[in-house]
Amino acid sequence: MRYISTRGNAPVLSFADVLLTGLAEDGGLYLPETWPEFSLPDWESLRGLPYPELAARVLAPFAAPDIDLETLRGLCAKAYANFDHPAIVPLTQVEDGLFVQELFHGPTLAFKDMAMQVLGQLFEHVLTQRNDHVTIVGATSGDTGSAAIEACRGRDRLSVIILHPKGRTSEVQRRQMTTVLDSNVTNLAVEGTFDDCQDLVKALFADLPFRREMHLSAVNSINWARIAAQIPYYVYAALNFGAPEREVSFAVPTGNFGNILAAWAARKMGLPIKHLCVGSNRNDILTRFLNANDMTIKGVVPSLSPSMDIQVSSNFERLLFELLGRDSAACARIMTGFRATGHMDVPEEVWENARTVFSGLALDDEQTEAEIRNLHQKSNYLADPHSAIGIAAGRKFRQPGVPMIAEATAHPAKFPDAMVAATGIHPALPVHLEDLFEREERYRTVPATAGAIKDAVRAAVLANAP
Ligand SMILES: *Cc1c(COP(=O)(O)O)cnc(C)c1O
């Protein structure tokens, strides 16, 4: 498969190159040149397969010819080997016609592991083939950093450097990063905010000589391989509920639009998905768009579901490009206007088109807490604040005869304060993290200047050189 940019002005790349490149040179995002389509017998042949095998087969057309099915099998088997549930992505019923798919059984207890574990394997494979090394630099407010660190730890061909805002992540989140002591992992506690961290990472990537010298690479959610690795669990769930003969719908707690975009991709490949429901917190740019064609940037307000506290959903650009009939010039024009004015001028027919598949629901913190309490009382199900928002969206938009599957994106033990406030229950951390609070931590505190970060990156890469 070859990949093209949504803005039409970047080189066409193969899967392995897209994996290492991330953002396209023209500022756009990569998408497959054509969508692979699975036939009815193709879908049927996937039913009942163990999850890693299913994942390899769904990824195969995207990775060909760079990586063959046999290799993908091995990589996916390793990626999901240390998940703590035999089904990897188990399904549970919570109400009539409303189901939950749990995506949080990986090492860091959030759905980011689903794709990031595969990415770690893919990087290692491609870099070994090319006898190369890359330095992954990223900023995190919590979940992404720990998932990236877990996926890259102990890999010779990868150095991973993660910036977090000092004192501004939860203690569980910080310890999930700082207690990983592998020599290729560096945690930088930046004296600043998450926005400062993001700006510093951008500054590093903008310094082209430094970027080339250090072989910088990114694993943020605009990396196509992350989206691709999220498609298989939608396939798994749909097949369980009778696809391809029967339609299903999904509800997804949404931030950067990466998770739900993977569901849309599965639909594009021929999986019979009727409806996709976006769940938001008070940072509701997507819900405002879906309800009123109002995609306008507002300031971020902190919420009970911090992984959805976003101003802009970067992956929305991929959907926009598709809904514009793949008109890259129009896409570039709209995105440039959005950056300049803070308002996205989406043509009326594109908005109408989006609404035939997508719906949105936003919950404030009070409603989120009430949803968590209700689910616990009525269904005896403990949902973290993100997952609870998805379930509420699923309930609102469910239709008779179409199973509605809500994606649960974080383990409740990641958000103990919210769980105690809503239910009185303090969920226990899974066994592999039980001693998290006794483990040794390692991180360096650095001032929020590009010079200090560059020095730290250079030192980390030198220290890890073979
Ligand atoms: C990242 C994350 C989300 C948002 O996913 P997107 O792909 O950015 O839409 C939702 N819930 C949790 C727990 C997350 O970590």
PDB file of all heavy atoms in Angstrom, residues 15-50:
ATOM      1  N   PHE A  15       4.420   1.960   3.575  1.00  0.00           N
ATOM      2  CA  PHE A  15       3.990   1.805   4.962  1.00  0.00           C
ATOM      3  C   PHE A  15       5.144   2.037   5.943  1.00  0.00           C
ATOM      4  O   PHE A  15       5.019   2.774   6.924  1.00  0.00           O
ATOM      5  CB  PHE A  15       3.408   0.403   5.175  1.00  0.00           C
ATOM      6  CG  PHE A  15       2.940   0.140   6.581  1.00  0.00           C
ATOM      7  CD1 PHE A  15       1.727   0.652   7.029  1.00  0.00           C
ATOM      8  CD2 PHE A  15       3.718  -0.610   7.455  1.00  0.00           C
ATOM      9  CE1 PHE A  15       1.296   0.419   8.327  1.00  0.00           C
ATOM     10  CE2 PHE A  15       3.286  -0.848   8.762  1.00  0.00           C
ATOM     11  CZ  PHE A  15       2.081  -0.335   9.192  1.00  0.00           C
ATOM     12  N   ALA A  16       6.312   1.429   5.652  1.00  0.00           N
ATOM     13  CA  ALA A  16       7.443   1.543   6.584  1.00  0.00           C
ATOM     14  C   ALA A  16       7.911   2.990   6.689  1.00  0.00           C
ATOM     15  O   ALA A  16       8.273   3.462   7.772  1.00  0.00           O
ATOM     16  CB  ALA A  16       8.585   0.628   6.142  1.00  0.00           C
ATOM     17  N   ASP A  17       7.891   3.709   5.560  1.00  0.00           N
ATOM     18  CA  ASP A  17       8.320   5.109   5.595  1.00  0.00           C
ATOM     19  C   ASP A  17       7.313   5.989   6.326  1.00  0.00           C
ATOM     20  O   ASP A  17       7.686   6.909   7.053  1.00  0.00           O
ATOM     21  CB  ASP A  17       8.579   5.623   4.177  1.00  0.00           C
ATOM     22  CG  ASP A  17       9.873   5.059   3.614  1.00  0.00           C
ATOM     23  OD1 ASP A  17      10.856   5.000   4.376  1.00  0.00           O
ATOM     24  OD2 ASP A  17       9.889   4.662   2.442  1.00  0.00           O
ATOM     25  N   VAL A  18       6.035   5.702   6.135  1.00  0.00           N
ATOM     26  CA  VAL A  18       4.998   6.456   6.853  1.00  0.00           C
ATOM     27  C   VAL A  18       5.138   6.230   8.352  1.00  0.00           C
ATOM     28  O   VAL A  18       4.985   7.153   9.159  1.00  0.00           O
ATOM     29  CB  VAL A  18       3.601   6.042   6.347  1.00  0.00           C
ATOM     30  CG1 VAL A  18       2.508   6.471   7.309  1.00  0.00           C
ATOM     31  CG2 VAL A  18       3.343   6.666   4.978  1.00  0.00           C
ATOM     32  N   LEU A  19       5.455   4.983   8.718  1.00  0.00           N
ATOM     33  CA  LEU A  19       5.647   4.649  10.131  1.00  0.00           C
ATOM     34  C   LEU A  19       6.732   5.531  10.749  1.00  0.00           C
ATOM     35  O   LEU A  19       6.559   6.092  11.822  1.00  0.00           O
ATOM     36  CB  LEU A  19       6.044   3.171  10.247  1.00  0.00           C
ATOM     37  CG  LEU A  19       6.506   2.685  11.616  1.00  0.00           C
ATOM     38  CD1 LEU A  19       5.301   2.480  12.524  1.00  0.00           C
ATOM     39  CD2 LEU A  19       7.312   1.397  11.521  1.00  0.00           C
ATOM     40  N   LEU A  20       7.868   5.675  10.047  1.00  0.00           N
ATOM     41  CA  LEU A  20       8.993   6.423  10.597  1.00  0.00           C
ATOM     42  C   LEU A  20       8.813   7.934  10.461  1.00  0.00           C
ATOM     43  O   LEU A  20       9.415   8.700  11.197  1.00  0.00           O
ATOM     44  CB  LEU A  20      10.303   6.006   9.914  1.00  0.00           C
ATOM     45  CG  LEU A  20      10.707   4.535  10.050  1.00  0.00           C
ATOM     46  CD1 LEU A  20      12.019   4.268   9.325  1.00  0.00           C
ATOM     47  CD2 LEU A  20      10.841   4.129  11.518  1.00  0.00           C
ATOM     48  N   THR A  21       7.970   8.370   9.512  1.00  0.00           N
ATOM     49  CA  THR A  21       7.846   9.793   9.220  1.00  0.00           C
ATOM     50  C   THR A  21       6.813  10.504  10.088  1.00  0.00           C
ATOM     51  O   THR A  21       7.034  11.639  10.510  1.00  0.00           O
ATOM     52  CB  THR A  21       7.464   9.992   7.727  1.00  0.00           C
ATOM     53  OG1 THR A  21       8.437   9.329   6.934  1.00  0.00           O
ATOM     54  CG2 THR A  21       7.422  11.462   7.367  1.00  0.00           C
ATOM     55  N   GLY A  22       5.673   9.859  10.334  1.00  0.00           N
ATOM     56  CA  GLY A  22       4.612  10.530  11.090  1.00  0.00           C
ATOM     57  C   GLY A  22       3.934  11.599  10.257  1.00  0.00           C
ATOM     58  O   GLY A  22       3.274  11.304   9.264  1.00  0.00           O
ATOM     59  N   LEU A  23       4.124  12.850  10.642  1.00  0.00           N
ATOM     60  CA  LEU A  23       3.495  13.979   9.943  1.00  0.00           C
ATOM     61  C   LEU A  23       4.106  14.157   8.547  1.00  0.00           C
ATOM     62  O   LEU A  23       5.306  14.075   8.382  1.00  0.00           O
ATOM     63  CB  LEU A  23       3.722  15.248  10.769  1.00  0.00           C
ATOM     64  CG  LEU A  23       2.901  16.489  10.392  1.00  0.00           C
ATOM     65  CD1 LEU A  23       1.432  16.286  10.756  1.00  0.00           C
ATOM     66  CD2 LEU A  23       3.441  17.726  11.103  1.00  0.00           C
ATOM     67  N   ALA A  24       3.245  14.430   7.546  1.00  0.00           N
ATOM     68  CA  ALA A  24       3.760  14.662   6.189  1.00  0.00           C
ATOM     69  C   ALA A  24       4.467  16.015   6.121  1.00  0.00           C
ATOM     70  O   ALA A  24       4.165  16.925   6.893  1.00  0.00           O
ATOM     71  CB  ALA A  24       2.613  14.608   5.180  1.00  0.00           C
ATOM     72  N   GLU A  25       5.396  16.129   5.150  1.00  0.00           N
ATOM     73  CA  GLU A  25       6.205  17.356   5.020  1.00  0.00           C
ATOM     74  C   GLU A  25       5.377  18.591   4.728  1.00  0.00           C
ATOM     75  O   GLU A  25       5.795  19.713   5.011  1.00  0.00           O
ATOM     76  CB  GLU A  25       7.218  17.189   3.874  1.00  0.00           C
ATOM     77  CG  GLU A  25       8.481  16.476   4.284  1.00  0.00           C
ATOM     78  CD  GLU A  25       9.372  16.202   3.073  1.00  0.00           C
ATOM     79  OE1 GLU A  25       9.147  16.807   2.006  1.00  0.00           O
ATOM     80  OE2 GLU A  25      10.281  15.366   3.217  1.00  0.00           O
ATOM     81  N   ASP A  26       4.197  18.412   4.114  1.00  0.00           N
ATOM     82  CA  ASP A  26       3.352  19.568   3.783  1.00  0.00           C
ATOM     83  C   ASP A  26       2.402  19.912   4.936  1.00  0.00           C
ATOM     84  O   ASP A  26       1.482  20.703   4.774  1.00  0.00           O
ATOM     85  CB  ASP A  26       2.552  19.287   2.503  1.00  0.00           C
ATOM     86  CG  ASP A  26       1.675  18.050   2.615  1.00  0.00           C
ATOM     87  OD1 ASP A  26       1.675  17.419   3.700  1.00  0.00           O
ATOM     88  OD2 ASP A  26       0.989  17.696   1.644  1.00  0.00           O
ATOM     89  N   GLY A  27       2.626  19.295   6.095  1.00  0.00           N
ATOM     90  CA  GLY A  27       1.785  19.567   7.258  1.00  0.00           C
ATOM     91  C   GLY A  27       0.524  18.704   7.290  1.00  0.00           C
ATOM     92  O   GLY A  27      -0.254  18.775   8.237  1.00  0.00           O
ATOM     93  N   GLY A  28       0.326  17.889   6.244  1.00  0.00           N
ATOM     94  CA  GLY A  28      -0.861  17.027   6.183  1.00  0.00           C
ATOM     95  C   GLY A  28      -0.638  15.700   6.889  1.00  0.00           C
ATOM     96  O   GLY A  28       0.408  15.456   7.493  1.00  0.00           O
ATOM     97  N   LEU A  29      -1.655  14.837   6.811  1.00  0.00           N
ATOM     98  CA  LEU A  29      -1.597  13.514   7.429  1.00  0.00           C
ATOM     99  C   LEU A  29      -1.679  12.462   6.331  1.00  0.00           C
ATOM    100  O   LEU A  29      -2.376  12.649   5.335  1.00  0.00           O
ATOM    101  CB  LEU A  29      -2.775  13.334   8.399  1.00  0.00           C
ATOM    102  CG  LEU A  29      -2.966  14.412   9.459  1.00  0.00           C
ATOM    103  CD1 LEU A  29      -4.114  14.027  10.393  1.00  0.00           C
ATOM    104  CD2 LEU A  29      -1.698  14.613  10.263  1.00  0.00           C
ATOM    105  N   TYR A  30      -0.966  11.356   6.530  1.00  0.00           N
ATOM    106  CA  TYR A  30      -0.963  10.302   5.516  1.00  0.00           C
ATOM    107  C   TYR A  30      -2.196   9.412   5.609  1.00  0.00           C
ATOM    108  O   TYR A  30      -2.677   9.100   6.695  1.00  0.00           O
ATOM    109  CB  TYR A  30       0.303   9.455   5.649  1.00  0.00           C
ATOM    110  CG  TYR A  30       1.481  10.083   4.923  1.00  0.00           C
ATOM    111  CD1 TYR A  30       2.517  10.690   5.628  1.00  0.00           C
ATOM    112  CD2 TYR A  30       1.526  10.090   3.529  1.00  0.00           C
ATOM    113  CE1 TYR A  30       3.583  11.282   4.955  1.00  0.00           C
ATOM    114  CE2 TYR A  30       2.597  10.676   2.857  1.00  0.00           C
ATOM    115  CZ  TYR A  30       3.613  11.265   3.566  1.00  0.00           C
ATOM    116  OH  TYR A  30       4.662  11.849   2.902  1.00  0.00           O
ATOM    117  N   LEU A  31      -2.677   9.020   4.421  1.00  0.00           N
ATOM    118  CA  LEU A  31      -3.785   8.067   4.300  1.00  0.00           C
ATOM    119  C   LEU A  31      -3.448   7.082   3.178  1.00  0.00           C
ATOM    120  O   LEU A  31      -2.718   7.436   2.253  1.00  0.00           O
ATOM    121  CB  LEU A  31      -5.074   8.794   3.924  1.00  0.00           C
ATOM    122  CG  LEU A  31      -5.926   9.363   5.051  1.00  0.00           C
ATOM    123  CD1 LEU A  31      -7.070  10.166   4.466  1.00  0.00           C
ATOM    124  CD2 LEU A  31      -6.457   8.254   5.951  1.00  0.00           C
ATOM    125  N   PRO A  32      -4.029   5.872   3.238  1.00  0.00           N
ATOM    126  CA  PRO A  32      -3.772   4.925   2.140  1.00  0.00           C
ATOM    127  C   PRO A  32      -4.272   5.507   0.810  1.00  0.00           C
ATOM    128  O   PRO A  32      -5.293   6.183   0.770  1.00  0.00           O
ATOM    129  CB  PRO A  32      -4.581   3.683   2.527  1.00  0.00           C
ATOM    130  CG  PRO A  32      -5.271   3.976   3.801  1.00  0.00           C
ATOM    131  CD  PRO A  32      -4.850   5.299   4.304  1.00  0.00           C
ATOM    132  N   GLU A  33      -3.533   5.188  -0.250  1.00  0.00           N
ATOM    133  CA  GLU A  33      -3.898   5.683  -1.581  1.00  0.00           C
ATOM    134  C   GLU A  33      -5.267   5.147  -1.992  1.00  0.00           C
ATOM    135  O   GLU A  33      -6.049   5.852  -2.623  1.00  0.00           O
ATOM    136  CB  GLU A  33      -2.819   5.211  -2.567  1.00  0.00           C
ATOM    137  CG  GLU A  33      -2.757   5.980  -3.843  1.00  0.00           C
ATOM    138  CD  GLU A  33      -1.462   5.699  -4.597  1.00  0.00           C
ATOM    139  OE1 GLU A  33      -1.033   4.521  -4.642  1.00  0.00           O
ATOM    140  OE2 GLU A  33      -0.875   6.661  -5.126  1.00  0.00           O
ATOM    141  N   THR A  34      -5.561   3.891  -1.635  1.00  0.00           N
ATOM    142  CA  THR A  34      -6.903   3.328  -1.838  1.00  0.00           C
ATOM    143  C   THR A  34      -7.244   2.533  -0.583  1.00  0.00           C
ATOM    144  O   THR A  34      -6.346   2.082   0.128  1.00  0.00           O
ATOM    145  CB  THR A  34      -6.939   2.337  -3.024  1.00  0.00           C
ATOM    146  OG1 THR A  34      -5.937   1.344  -2.786  1.00  0.00           O
ATOM    147  CG2 THR A  34      -6.678   3.031  -4.340  1.00  0.00           C
ATOM    148  N   TRP A  35      -8.536   2.357  -0.313  1.00  0.00           N
ATOM    149  CA  TRP A  35      -8.931   1.582   0.863  1.00  0.00           C
ATOM    150  C   TRP A  35      -9.038   0.110   0.496  1.00  0.00           C
ATOM    151  O   TRP A  35      -9.749  -0.231  -0.450  1.00  0.00           O
ATOM    152  CB  TRP A  35     -10.269   2.075   1.414  1.00  0.00           C
ATOM    153  CG  TRP A  35     -10.122   3.400   2.085  1.00  0.00           C
ATOM    154  CD1 TRP A  35     -10.424   4.621   1.560  1.00  0.00           C
ATOM    155  CD2 TRP A  35      -9.599   3.648   3.402  1.00  0.00           C
ATOM    156  NE1 TRP A  35     -10.122   5.624   2.455  1.00  0.00           N
ATOM    157  CE2 TRP A  35      -9.616   5.043   3.595  1.00  0.00           C
ATOM    158  CE3 TRP A  35      -9.109   2.824   4.420  1.00  0.00           C
ATOM    159  CZ2 TRP A  35      -9.163   5.637   4.773  1.00  0.00           C
ATOM    160  CZ3 TRP A  35      -8.665   3.422   5.583  1.00  0.00           C
ATOM    161  CH2 TRP A  35      -8.692   4.804   5.756  1.00  0.00           C
ATOM    162  N   PRO A  36      -8.336  -0.772   1.241  1.00  0.00           N
ATOM    163  CA  PRO A  36      -8.522  -2.201   0.980  1.00  0.00           C
ATOM    164  C   PRO A  36      -9.959  -2.576   1.315  1.00  0.00           C
ATOM    165  O   PRO A  36     -10.507  -2.079   2.296  1.00  0.00           O
ATOM    166  CB  PRO A  36      -7.543  -2.882   1.946  1.00  0.00           C
ATOM    167  CG  PRO A  36      -7.088  -1.852   2.914  1.00  0.00           C
ATOM    168  CD  PRO A  36      -7.448  -0.503   2.383  1.00  0.00           C
ATOM    169  N   GLU A  37     -10.582  -3.393   0.452  1.00  0.00           N
ATOM    170  CA  GLU A  37     -11.950  -3.831   0.750  1.00  0.00           C
ATOM    171  C   GLU A  37     -11.973  -5.324   0.999  1.00  0.00           C
ATOM    172  O   GLU A  37     -11.393  -6.086   0.233  1.00  0.00           O
ATOM    173  CB  GLU A  37     -12.889  -3.450  -0.393  1.00  0.00           C
ATOM    174  CG  GLU A  37     -13.410  -2.037  -0.220  1.00  0.00           C
ATOM    175  CD  GLU A  37     -14.460  -1.679  -1.252  1.00  0.00           C
ATOM    176  OE1 GLU A  37     -15.432  -2.440  -1.379  1.00  0.00           O
ATOM    177  OE2 GLU A  37     -14.269  -0.643  -1.922  1.00  0.00           O
ATOM    178  N   PHE A  38     -12.651  -5.719   2.071  1.00  0.00           N
ATOM    179  CA  PHE A  38     -12.782  -7.133   2.390  1.00  0.00           C
ATOM    180  C   PHE A  38     -14.150  -7.601   1.894  1.00  0.00           C
ATOM    181  O   PHE A  38     -15.140  -6.899   2.058  1.00  0.00           O
ATOM    182  CB  PHE A  38     -12.662  -7.362   3.906  1.00  0.00           C
ATOM    183  CG  PHE A  38     -11.250  -7.306   4.448  1.00  0.00           C
ATOM    184  CD1 PHE A  38     -10.308  -6.432   3.915  1.00  0.00           C
ATOM    185  CD2 PHE A  38     -10.860  -8.140   5.499  1.00  0.00           C
ATOM    186  CE1 PHE A  38      -9.008  -6.377   4.410  1.00  0.00           C
ATOM    187  CE2 PHE A  38      -9.561  -8.098   6.008  1.00  0.00           C
ATOM    188  CZ  PHE A  38      -8.637  -7.217   5.467  1.00  0.00           C
ATOM    189  N   SER A  39     -14.178  -8.804   1.302  1.00  0.00           N
ATOM    190  CA  SER A  39     -15.443  -9.377   0.826  1.00  0.00           C
ATOM    191  C   SER A  39     -16.141 -10.075   1.993  1.00  0.00           C
ATOM    192  O   SER A  39     -15.553 -10.266   3.063  1.00  0.00           O
ATOM    193  CB  SER A  39     -15.158 -10.387  -0.272  1.00  0.00           C
ATOM    194  OG  SER A  39     -14.446 -11.475   0.293  1.00  0.00           O
ATOM    195  N   LEU A  40     -17.388 -10.505   1.762  1.00  0.00           N
ATOM    196  CA  LEU A  40     -18.120 -11.242   2.795  1.00  0.00           C
ATOM    197  C   LEU A  40     -17.325 -12.459   3.292  1.00  0.00           C
ATOM    198  O   LEU A  40     -17.142 -12.621   4.498  1.00  0.00           O
ATOM    199  CB  LEU A  40     -19.485 -11.672   2.251  1.00  0.00           C
ATOM    200  CG  LEU A  40     -20.680 -11.092   2.996  1.00  0.00           C
ATOM    201  CD1 LEU A  40     -20.822  -9.602   2.736  1.00  0.00           C
ATOM    202  CD2 LEU A  40     -21.949 -11.813   2.599  1.00  0.00           C
ATOM    203  N   PRO A  41     -16.840 -13.315   2.354  1.00  0.00           N
ATOM    204  CA  PRO A  41     -16.034 -14.466   2.830  1.00  0.00           C
ATOM    205  C   PRO A  41     -14.760 -14.032   3.568  1.00  0.00           C
ATOM    206  O   PRO A  41     -14.346 -14.694   4.520  1.00  0.00           O
ATOM    207  CB  PRO A  41     -15.682 -15.222   1.546  1.00  0.00           C
ATOM    208  CG  PRO A  41     -16.642 -14.737   0.518  1.00  0.00           C
ATOM    209  CD  PRO A  41     -17.085 -13.377   0.906  1.00  0.00           C
ATOM    210  N   ASP A  42     -14.157 -12.910   3.148  1.00  0.00           N
ATOM    211  CA  ASP A  42     -12.969 -12.411   3.872  1.00  0.00           C
ATOM    212  C   ASP A  42     -13.312 -12.142   5.330  1.00  0.00           C
ATOM    213  O   ASP A  42     -12.608 -12.554   6.251  1.00  0.00           O
ATOM    214  CB  ASP A  42     -12.457 -11.086   3.274  1.00  0.00           C
ATOM    215  CG  ASP A  42     -11.795 -11.260   1.922  1.00  0.00           C
ATOM    216  OD1 ASP A  42     -11.398 -12.400   1.599  1.00  0.00           O
ATOM    217  OD2 ASP A  42     -11.679 -10.253   1.188  1.00  0.00           O
ATOM    218  N   TRP A  43     -14.422 -11.406   5.548  1.00  0.00           N
ATOM    219  CA  TRP A  43     -14.811 -11.090   6.935  1.00  0.00           C
ATOM    220  C   TRP A  43     -15.116 -12.374   7.694  1.00  0.00           C
ATOM    221  O   TRP A  43     -14.669 -12.551   8.826  1.00  0.00           O
ATOM    222  CB  TRP A  43     -16.049 -10.189   6.978  1.00  0.00           C
ATOM    223  CG  TRP A  43     -15.863  -8.784   6.480  1.00  0.00           C
ATOM    224  CD1 TRP A  43     -16.582  -8.183   5.491  1.00  0.00           C
ATOM    225  CD2 TRP A  43     -14.931  -7.792   6.958  1.00  0.00           C
ATOM    226  NE1 TRP A  43     -16.140  -6.887   5.311  1.00  0.00           N
ATOM    227  CE2 TRP A  43     -15.138  -6.623   6.187  1.00  0.00           C
ATOM    228  CE3 TRP A  43     -13.939  -7.793   7.930  1.00  0.00           C
ATOM    229  CZ2 TRP A  43     -14.394  -5.448   6.385  1.00  0.00           C
ATOM    230  CZ3 TRP A  43     -13.197  -6.636   8.136  1.00  0.00           C
ATOM    231  CH2 TRP A  43     -13.421  -5.480   7.364  1.00  0.00           C
ATOM    232  N   GLU A  44     -15.864 -13.265   7.033  1.00  0.00           N
ATOM    233  CA  GLU A  44     -16.258 -14.495   7.730  1.00  0.00           C
ATOM    234  C   GLU A  44     -15.043 -15.317   8.157  1.00  0.00           C
ATOM    235  O   GLU A  44     -15.052 -15.942   9.212  1.00  0.00           O
ATOM    236  CB  GLU A  44     -17.207 -15.324   6.852  1.00  0.00           C
ATOM    237  CG  GLU A  44     -18.649 -14.890   7.065  1.00  0.00           C
ATOM    238  CD  GLU A  44     -19.557 -15.199   5.886  1.00  0.00           C
ATOM    239  OE1 GLU A  44     -19.107 -15.870   4.939  1.00  0.00           O
ATOM    240  OE2 GLU A  44     -20.717 -14.739   5.928  1.00  0.00           O
ATOM    241  N   SER A  45     -14.000 -15.268   7.335  1.00  0.00           N
ATOM    242  CA  SER A  45     -12.815 -16.070   7.653  1.00  0.00           C
ATOM    243  C   SER A  45     -12.084 -15.536   8.895  1.00  0.00           C
ATOM    244  O   SER A  45     -11.228 -16.214   9.450  1.00  0.00           O
ATOM    245  CB  SER A  45     -11.846 -16.095   6.458  1.00  0.00           C
ATOM    246  OG  SER A  45     -11.227 -14.827   6.324  1.00  0.00           O
ATOM    247  N   LEU A  46     -12.420 -14.329   9.325  1.00  0.00           N
ATOM    248  CA  LEU A  46     -11.750 -13.752  10.497  1.00  0.00           C
ATOM    249  C   LEU A  46     -12.474 -14.077  11.800  1.00  0.00           C
ATOM    250  O   LEU A  46     -11.935 -13.903  12.889  1.00  0.00           O
ATOM    251  CB  LEU A  46     -11.658 -12.218  10.361  1.00  0.00           C
ATOM    252  CG  LEU A  46     -10.868 -11.671   9.171  1.00  0.00           C
ATOM    253  CD1 LEU A  46     -10.990 -10.153   9.101  1.00  0.00           C
ATOM    254  CD2 LEU A  46      -9.405 -12.070   9.284  1.00  0.00           C
ATOM    255  N   ARG A  47     -13.739 -14.529  11.670  1.00  0.00           N
ATOM    256  CA  ARG A  47     -14.538 -14.756  12.877  1.00  0.00           C
ATOM    257  C   ARG A  47     -13.956 -15.895  13.704  1.00  0.00           C
ATOM    258  O   ARG A  47     -13.577 -16.926  13.158  1.00  0.00           O
ATOM    259  CB  ARG A  47     -15.987 -15.063  12.502  1.00  0.00           C
ATOM    260  CG  ARG A  47     -16.904 -15.033  13.720  1.00  0.00           C
ATOM    261  CD  ARG A  47     -18.337 -15.379  13.373  1.00  0.00           C
ATOM    262  NE  ARG A  47     -19.002 -14.327  12.625  1.00  0.00           N
ATOM    263  CZ  ARG A  47     -19.806 -14.536  11.584  1.00  0.00           C
ATOM    264  NH1 ARG A  47     -20.010 -15.765  11.152  1.00  0.00           N
ATOM    265  NH2 ARG A  47     -20.390 -13.534  10.980  1.00  0.00           N
ATOM    266  N   GLY A  48     -13.862 -15.675  15.005  1.00  0.00           N
ATOM    267  CA  GLY A  48     -13.401 -16.727  15.907  1.00  0.00           C
ATOM    268  C   GLY A  48     -11.884 -16.834  16.020  1.00  0.00           C
ATOM    269  O   GLY A  48     -11.380 -17.636  16.796  1.00  0.00           O
ATOM    270  N   LEU A  49     -11.153 -16.024  15.249  1.00  0.00           N
ATOM    271  CA  LEU A  49      -9.680 -16.088  15.351  1.00  0.00           C
ATOM    272  C   LEU A  49      -9.217 -15.450  16.657  1.00  0.00           C
ATOM    273  O   LEU A  49      -9.837 -14.511  17.148  1.00  0.00           O
ATOM    274  CB  LEU A  49      -9.038 -15.332  14.192  1.00  0.00           C
ATOM    275  CG  LEU A  49      -9.167 -15.916  12.794  1.00  0.00           C
ATOM    276  CD1 LEU A  49      -8.470 -14.998  11.793  1.00  0.00           C
ATOM    277  CD2 LEU A  49      -8.568 -17.317  12.742  1.00  0.00           C
ATOM    278  N   PRO A  50      -8.094 -15.939  17.212  1.00  0.00           N
ATOM    279  CA  PRO A  50      -7.493 -15.244  18.360  1.00  0.00           C
ATOM    280  C   PRO A  50      -7.154 -13.812  17.942  1.00  0.00           C
ATOM    281  O   PRO A  50      -6.788 -13.575  16.778  1.00  0.00           O
ATOM    282  CB  PRO A  50      -6.219 -16.037  18.640  1.00  0.00           C
ATOM    283  CG  PRO A  50      -6.336 -17.308  17.889  1.00  0.00           C
ATOM    284  CD  PRO A  50      -7.304 -17.087  16.776  1.00  0.00           C
TER     285      PRO A  50
END
